[in-house]
Amino acid sequence: QVQLVESGGGLVQPGGSLRLSCAASGSIFSINAMGWYRQAPGKERELVATVTRGGSTNYANSVKGRFTISRDNAKNTVYLQMNSLKPEDTAVYYCNADIQGSWHEVSISRWGQGTQVTVSS
């Protein structure tokens, strides 16, 4: 059974920083793309940032220049460094990873349980 476990959310003042982590565990042969998504109350889930196994990144326009995604392939972990946080960044942040359980299986998109980020004074 594959699990994605997120950590690092919390309450922060506008202009502050947080670092989210997401570790994958279980039966893992390979992890392809990893990413972060977020969902604010009353809104649809949206992409925040993704990173390929080779390190290529993609960001939502709303977070470019403020957020940085990175990964440690040896630890099956993806990170999201969030700086200059704004109230509109408040949301539940979800980790996502395309995981291949064994050499003969196709990749399956997996989700973490989500971690709350609240930006407020």
Side-chain angles (χ1 to χ4, degrees), residues 21-38:
S21 299
C22 172
S25 62
S27 178
I28 299 172
F29 174 74
S30 175
I31 302 178
N32 300 315
M34 303 184 82
W36 291 94
Y37 292 72
R38 67 186 182 187

Side-chain angles (χ1 to χ4, degrees), residues 28-35 50-57 69-78 98-100 107:
I28 299 172
F29 174 74
S30 175
I31 302 178
N32 300 315
M34 303 184 82
T50 60
V51 58
T52 67
R53 183 171 181 82
S56 297
T57 58
I69 189 170
S70 61
R71 64 188 282 174
D72 184 332
N73 291 330
K75 295 182 178 179
N76 292 334
T77 300
V78 62
D98 290 331
I99 298 176
Q100 187 178 2
S107 293

Side-chain angles (χ1 to χ4, degrees), residues 15-114:
S17 298
L18 281 176
R19 188 189 193 213
L20 305 183
S21 299
C22 172
S25 62
S27 178
I28 299 172
F29 174 74
S30 175
I31 302 178
N32 300 315
M34 303 184 82
W36 291 94
Y37 292 72
R38 67 186 182 187
Q39 187 166 18
K43 294 187 176 181
E44 294 188 351
R45 190 174 299 189
E46 63 176 4
L47 178 143
V48 176
T50 60
V51 58
T52 67
R53 183 171 181 82
S56 297
T57 58
N58 179 53
Y59 294 93
N61 288 334
S62 59
V63 307
K64 281 182 181 177
R66 301 187 297 123
F67 291 9
T68 302
I69 189 170
S70 61
R71 64 188 282 174
D72 184 332
N73 291 330
K75 295 182 178 179
N76 292 334
T77 300
V78 62
Y79 307 95
L80 185 68
Q81 178 66 43
M82 304 185 292
N83 299 329
S84 303
L85 282 160
K86 306 175 181 180
E88 51 264 43
D89 294 318
T90 296
V92 177
Y93 283 70
Y94 296 92
C95 171
N96 175 264
D98 290 331
I99 298 176
Q100 187 178 2
S102 62
W103 68 270
H104 62 280
E105 296 179 353
V106 297
S107 293
I108 297 175
S109 181
R110 305 279 187 176
W111 293 91
Q113 80 285 356

